[in-house]
Amino acid sequence: MTIQKHKKLNKGEVTHIERVANEMFLIKIKTAPDFSSKPGQFISILCDGHAMRRPFSIMNFEKGEISLLFKRKGDGTAFISALKVGDTVDFIGAMGNGFSLNNDRILLVGAGVGVAPVYYLKKYLKDGVRLIAGFQNSGEIPACLKNEIDFISTDDGSGEVQGKGSIVDYLEEQISRYQPDRICVCGPHIVLKLTSEIAKAHDIPCEVAMEKTMACSIGVCRGCVITLNKNGKLENASVCKDGPVFLGEEVVW
Ligand SMILES: Cc1cc2nc3c(=O)[nH]c(=O)nc-3n(C[C@H](O)[C@H](O)[C@H](O)COP(=O)(O)OP(=O)(O)OC[C@H]3O[C@@H](n4cnc5c(N)ncnc54)[C@H](O)[C@@H]3O)c2cc1C
Ligand code: FES
């Protein structure tokens, strides 16, 4: 199946774009009426002149508009950050599996732009969730989410935040205070790995939203494969098609 013919090929119109932290942007895209998504899924955007689409977690989907929170890094994200209201966005999605949606008490953990998909889960479930997040410094905290996060740490302690250091340093304390039935996390690889290990030590299931460099984003190229250990049996899984959300205890880190 080619990307051109993929059934989730979509077009949307930019309705809002703003810088919300140092190099971080919020973009809202009006979608076609039949678009639907759930927390943990992502869209992959065609960026002018680049064959490989860039994947971004959905931060919210409300009133027919997708919100994304993205960090400007290279050519692709520079292209998206320069889009204007009224411009057309060519994307595929919503892709991937997403988080479980049962009514557990959930501790949501975000690090950096990884806060986006766990924030979507908080908005979606409304009750029984606590969102904690870590950022490098106060300049990295997205203004649009500041008041939506229950506990924030910055690595250097800057800003009006509750903690100094990595958000992982506060996990034990948050687990004993909140007593979650489940933990969902998104952020850099090391944050996913450590959160998963701490959750396992407390016997709490942990869902991790993985990031892998993607080429096709639709499960064809096998460029985003990770290894899972399912009851002692090793198997490959594509982050784009089988994930990006996996059970932390099954990921071979
Ligand atoms: C499932 C998923 C969800 C993501 N959600 C977000 C999000 O919500 N917000 C956000 O800011 N970023 C997110 N990312 C990372 C984002 O896709 C990259 O930052 C972006 O592709 C960089 O593109 P670039 O052209 O600006 O940078 P470049 O570094 O120039 O990119 C070069 C190539 O590497 C790939 N690439 C680079 N970094 C990554 C990365 N971390 N993950 C995957 N591919 C990468 C690009 O797709 C491109 O093919 C997500 C990645 C994945 C896999
Ligand atoms: S990016 Fe091609 S299989 Fe996942």
Side-chain angles (χ1 to χ4, degrees):
M1 195 189 308
T2 65
I3 294 177
Q4 282 70 29
K5 286 180 185 162
H6 196 273
K7 63 180 188 304
K8 291 199 170 175
L9 195 56
N10 267 305
K11 279 196 168 54
E13 184 186 320
V14 178
T15 56
H16 179 98
I17 181 155
E18 74 172 298
R19 188 193 283 242
V20 291
N22 281 345
E23 285 299 318
M24 231 185 263
F25 294 78
L26 168 71
I27 187 169
K28 294 187 180 181
I29 302 164
K30 184 95 190 157
T31 60
D34 60 348
F35 180 87
S36 65
S37 73
K38 63 176 206 160
Q41 288 190 301
F42 68 95
I43 65 169
S44 243
I45 298 181
L46 186 65
C47 301
D48 203 24
H50 295 279
M52 295 209 298
R53 288 164 185 269
R54 283 11 180 196
F56 300 94
S57 303
I58 299 171
M59 187 184 91
N60 198 16
F61 178 60
E62 211 170 25
K63 296 181 186 151
E65 283 183 345
I66 300 172
S67 298
L68 305 176
L69 180 72
F70 69 94
K71 195 155 188 181
R72 186 161 56 189
K73 280 190 172 169
D75 287 355
T77 44
F79 167 81
I80 301 169
S81 71
L83 289 172
K84 303 271 180 286
V85 170
D87 283 348
T88 299
V89 179
D90 183 316
F91 65 94
I92 45 173
M95 305 301 292
N97 59 356
F99 296 107
S100 314
L101 297 175
N102 41 8
N103 288 328
D104 292 341
R105 269 173 82 78
I106 309 173
L107 181 63
L108 305 170
V109 183
V113 282
V115 71
V118 285
Y119 168 73
Y120 186 11
L121 188 55
K122 177 177 171 157
K123 287 278 286 182
Y124 194 94
L125 294 176
K126 296 185 181 75
D127 300 317
V129 288
R130 178 171 175 79
L131 172 58
I132 65 172
F135 302 91
Q136 283 174 345
N137 54 58
S138 59
E140 297 288 312
I141 305 172
C144 55
L145 294 186
K146 222 173 226 169
N147 299 327
E148 307 276 351
I149 303 170
D150 301 305
F151 178 99
I152 300 180
S153 74
T154 49
D155 292 352
D156 60 2
S158 59
E160 288 171 25
V161 295
Q162 293 77 33
K164 178 180 178 181
S166 163
I167 195 63
V168 176
D169 299 341
Y170 292 91
L171 255 185
E172 294 280 1
E173 174 192 308
Q174 292 290 320
I175 288 172
S176 64
R177 264 187 59 190
Y178 190 62
Q179 299 286 313
D181 303 312
R182 187 157 52 100
I183 296 176
C184 296
V185 59
C186 184
H189 189 86
I190 185 68
V191 172
L192 304 186
K193 178 175 185 282
L194 293 174
T195 303
S196 175
E197 284 168 4
I198 294 170
K200 194 172 178 192
H202 287 265
D203 212 13
I204 302 170
C206 179
E207 294 182 1
V208 297
M210 302 287 291
E211 253 193 40
K212 245 334 200 143
T213 301
M214 291 182 179
C216 74
S217 304
I218 57 171
V220 173
C221 73
R222 306 293 284 164
C224 66
V225 165
I226 61 166
T227 307
L228 300 180
N229 183 338
K230 293 202 170 187
N231 300 317
K233 194 170 161 254
L234 295 184
E235 50 184 71
N236 288 335
S238 305
V239 170
C240 66
K241 193 159 176 245
D242 308 312
V245 178
F246 296 94
L247 262 183
E249 66 197 54
E250 291 185 347
V251 174
V252 177
W253 298 101

